[in-house]
Amino acid sequence: MDELLAAANHFIAENQPDVDQRWYPRFHLAPPVGWMNDPNGLTWFNGYFHAFYQHYPYAAEWGPMHWGHARSRDMIRWEHLPVALAPSDPQDKDGCFSGSAVVAGETLSLIYTGHKFDGRPVDENLYQVQCLATSQDGLTFRKEGQVLDTPAGVHHFRDPKVWREGDVWYMVVGIKVNDAGEIHIYRSDDLRQWQYESAIQGTDICDGYMWECPDLFRLGDKQVLMFSPQGINTDGYHYRNLFQSGCVVGEWQPGTPFTAQQAFHELDHGHDFYAPQSFTTPDGRRVIMGWLAMWESPMPEKADGWAGMLTLPRELTISATGKVSQMPVKEIETLRKEHHQWHPGEFCQQNVPLMEDAQALEVLLEWDVSRSTAERYGISLGTGARIFIDNQARRIVLERNYPALNLSGDRSVPLPDGECLSLRLFIDKSSLELFINVGEYTLSSRIYPEENDRQLSLFCHHGRAVVNKCCAWQLAS
């Protein structure tokens, strides 16, 4: 294993200087080189936030999964660390798949899926088990092998998320049984010997043939089951991406079944959001990060030597209606630099230029919906991305249009009731993250503007639009 880790870290050091920076993010966590997907092992240990992630360092393509590793004092400024895990043992020879991290005393423990297959793309030739690796310094990890075998007759069994309730460890694992998704719950006293406790299953929870990246945690006085189902059919404006990520709010206590109190709903309505994982900050906030990309979607940055990034860390809360809301963690405000203030007020059937080169920016917009009569009004970034209110459909739309890159289309959410609409938008080199009405909805999408096509403007068509507030901050890298 040491040789494989050394080879991976050497390759990264040798090739990182060659990564093209044209779309590389300024304030999102991305791989130094090569491929990134799911966030793994989000935790706090020895004075740092740690973020691991699915990583293939040798190409900007999915490959035998390693665990990349970064740490931060504030969840915003990340320091890349050596690769933590490489596929090396019989249990994980074809990939160290997704998992989680917990702190047990002075030890940081990684619980992950060991993946192996014989090369033929059929389930009978795929084998997945849960494995353990431990560290005393948070930098180097010792594999301890398999701790949970695959249930009989099952092949898809992955993405363990572990947490502690009193003196007992619990684990949820995604599983595919007879072409239906389930989540199994296990318990342990020592992270090494696990006993099956119960299953969460059924179409009353969610459809789909596989439920990936499960997470079960308390938020306020509710229990939230968060997971990423595969195989949900598109339904009107819903489930437009290949795979989804969302949650079910309900109740669960050790020894009792999970009881859903609300239907499954998507956590993010943009083009690119998958496999979110949660963790608890030292001051008790529940925070998630997700993969800001989507399977089988074009990723033009591959040509630049890297692919994939993680979302901003988002604090979760329960709204008065019992819905899960998300907002970027308050630490993001420490990146704010130069402030820009505009006073467009009311404008009619025109574009209002705001900034020529928007690359690392936080924008706050408040629209007076009650007095805005335009059929469409909103904000645009160059010729390829727009966020607007469609007054006829009564929806908020995130539209991207990069036909040369085979990336076009829109995503949308209902226009909330109320006289005013608040938008908080984060623009990075190749991404947009939009938070609506203090986290009532979020939309996250990748974008690919050319360097000379980043003008930020307001617009309205066929009528007037009224802006109560319009300002922005440049964000530090």
Side-chain angles (χ1 to χ4, degrees):
M1 178 182 174
D2 290 344
E3 292 181 359
L4 293 173
L5 289 175
N9 291 316
H10 176 75
F11 183 90
I12 291 169
E14 288 288 308
N15 290 274
Q16 184 176 2
D18 297 329
V19 168
D20 192 320
Q21 300 294 308
R22 62 174 170 165
W23 290 316
Y24 195 85
R26 296 277 187 88
F27 56 93
H28 286 79
L29 178 58
V33 66
W35 170 273
M36 166 194 278
N37 59 279
D38 306 359
N40 298 154
L42 304 180
T43 193
W44 171 266
F45 179 71
N46 280 0
Y48 288 93
F49 294 98
H50 289 260
F52 302 86
Y53 52 89
Q54 293 285 274
H55 184 36
Y56 185 59
Y58 298 108
E61 303 281 351
W62 189 91
M65 285 292 98
H66 297 53
W67 271 39
H69 187 193
R71 69 181 181 184
S72 171
R73 296 285 193 185
D74 61 4
M75 297 180 280
I76 302 299
R77 299 165 177 84
W78 293 97
E79 168 195 4
H80 284 288
L81 297 174
V83 173
L85 298 175
S88 60
D89 292 351
Q91 296 91 347
D92 63 19
K93 70 180 185 66
D94 295 307
C96 298
F97 274 20
S98 290
S100 54
V102 293
V103 178
E106 302 298 319
T107 301
L108 178 60
S109 298
L110 309 182
I111 303 93
Y112 67 98
T113 296
H115 174 76
K116 61 181 180 180
F117 69 105
D118 71 0
R120 292 175 291 173
V122 293
D123 286 356
E124 287 71 18
N125 301 297
L126 179 147
Y127 190 60
Q128 296 178 337
V129 300
Q130 312 319 316
C131 302
L132 174 68
T134 57
S135 173
Q136 305 305 310
D137 61 5
L139 297 172
T140 56
F141 293 84
R142 179 173 66 90
K143 288 185 178 180
E144 298 191 23
Q146 174 182 312
V147 295
L148 181 60
D149 202 355
T150 311
V154 168
H155 297 277
H156 293 268
F157 180 61
R158 56 183 175 268
D159 310 335
K161 178 68 192 302
V162 177
W163 75 99
R164 193 166 193 160
E165 299 266 351
D167 296 328
V168 179
W169 296 102
Y170 288 88
M171 179 200 309
V172 284
V173 186
I175 187 168
K176 178 182 178 182
V177 180
N178 298 325
D179 288 324
E182 297 184 3
I183 294 168
H184 285 194
I185 303 177
Y186 296 84
R187 59 180 292 157
S188 172
D189 294 327
D190 61 2
L191 296 175
R192 291 162 176 81
Q193 300 294 324
W194 292 91
Q195 295 81 43
Y196 171 84
E197 176 157 303
S198 61
I200 304 172
Q201 57 193 185
T203 55
D204 58 326
I205 298 292
C206 187
D207 293 328
Y209 58 78
M210 177 66 194
W211 296 353
E212 290 197 314
C213 303
D215 202 340
L216 183 60
F217 53 87
R218 184 153 293 280
L219 191 63
D221 62 352
K222 299 296 182 182
Q223 204 79 21
V224 176
L225 177 66
M226 183 172 72
F227 58 104
S228 296
Q230 299 179 325
I232 299 181
N233 294 325
T234 296
D235 180 16
Y237 289 111
H238 301 289
Y239 315 134
R240 301 302 306 180
N241 294 329
L242 177 62
F243 300 134
Q244 321 306 322
S245 294
C247 65
V248 177
V249 175
E251 272 300 333
W252 176 83
Q253 294 292 337
T256 66
F258 176 84
T259 303
Q261 296 177 334
Q262 295 181 14
F264 176 86
H265 71 268
E266 295 172 89
L267 276 166
D268 191 285
H269 297 264
H271 297 86
D272 297 293
F273 183 84
Y274 195 68
Q277 185 175 104
S278 81
F279 63 102
T280 304
T281 63
D283 60 2
R285 291 172 288 165
R286 178 65 62 169
V287 173
I288 66 168
M289 297 176 72
W291 183 39
L292 216 170
M294 180 52 57
W295 296 111
E296 299 183 28
S297 174
M299 301 175 74
E301 71 269 26
K302 288 180 179 181
D304 297 343
W306 69 281
M309 72 181 85
L310 300 188
T311 66
L312 292 175
R314 303 171 177 186
E315 181 181 357
L316 300 186
T317 56
I318 289 281
S319 71
T321 60
K323 182 181 176 183
V324 175
S325 298
Q326 320 169 54
M327 282 293 281
V329 295
K330 60 188 178 184
E331 287 84 349
I332 190 67
E333 296 176 12
T334 65
L335 292 183
R336 289 174 174 175
K337 297 173 64 179
E338 183 181 356
H339 184 245
H340 305 270
Q341 184 79 47
W342 300 283
H343 303 280
E346 179 181 323
F347 60 105
C348 187
Q349 296 181 212
Q350 66 185 102
N351 287 350
V352 179
L354 302 178
M355 182 181 294
E356 278 299 316
D357 188 23
Q359 298 201 38
L361 205 65
E362 175 187 355
V363 181
L364 296 183
L365 262 175
E366 184 180 286
W367 296 99
D368 189 329
V369 177
S370 65
R371 295 196 293 145
S372 296
T373 62
E375 291 181 5
R376 290 185 172 186
Y377 58 96
I379 188 168
S380 62
L381 179 68
T383 58
R386 298 193 304 168
I387 294 166
F388 61 87
I389 292 85
D390 185 328
N391 246 338
Q392 297 176 93
R394 302 300 290 172
R395 299 189 71 83
I396 304 169
V397 182
L398 191 162
E399 176 189 78
R400 65 179 179 186
N401 185 35
Y402 304 98
L405 301 175
N406 197 27
L407 279 167
S408 296
D410 56 63
R411 298 289 183 267
S412 67
V413 296
L415 180 64
D417 294 332
E419 294 186 355
C420 295
L421 176 69
S422 171
L423 305 180
R424 189 176 181 191
L425 173 64
F426 290 86
I427 302 171
D428 209 335
K429 293 273 283 187
S430 54
S431 67
L432 298 176
E433 287 186 75
L434 175 66
F435 299 84
I436 299 171
N437 280 0
V438 197
E440 183 176 355
Y441 293 104
T442 64
L443 296 96
S444 303
S445 295
R446 290 175 294 124
I447 58 170
Y448 296 94
E450 297 297 333
E451 286 300 319
N452 61 353
D453 190 28
R454 288 182 170 272
Q455 185 185 66
L456 193 68
S457 301
L458 301 181
F459 69 90
C460 72
H461 299 157
H462 305 291
R464 70 174 183 176
V466 181
V467 181
N468 291 337
K469 183 178 183 179
C470 183
C471 67
W473 288 268
Q474 297 289 158
L475 298 182
S477 297

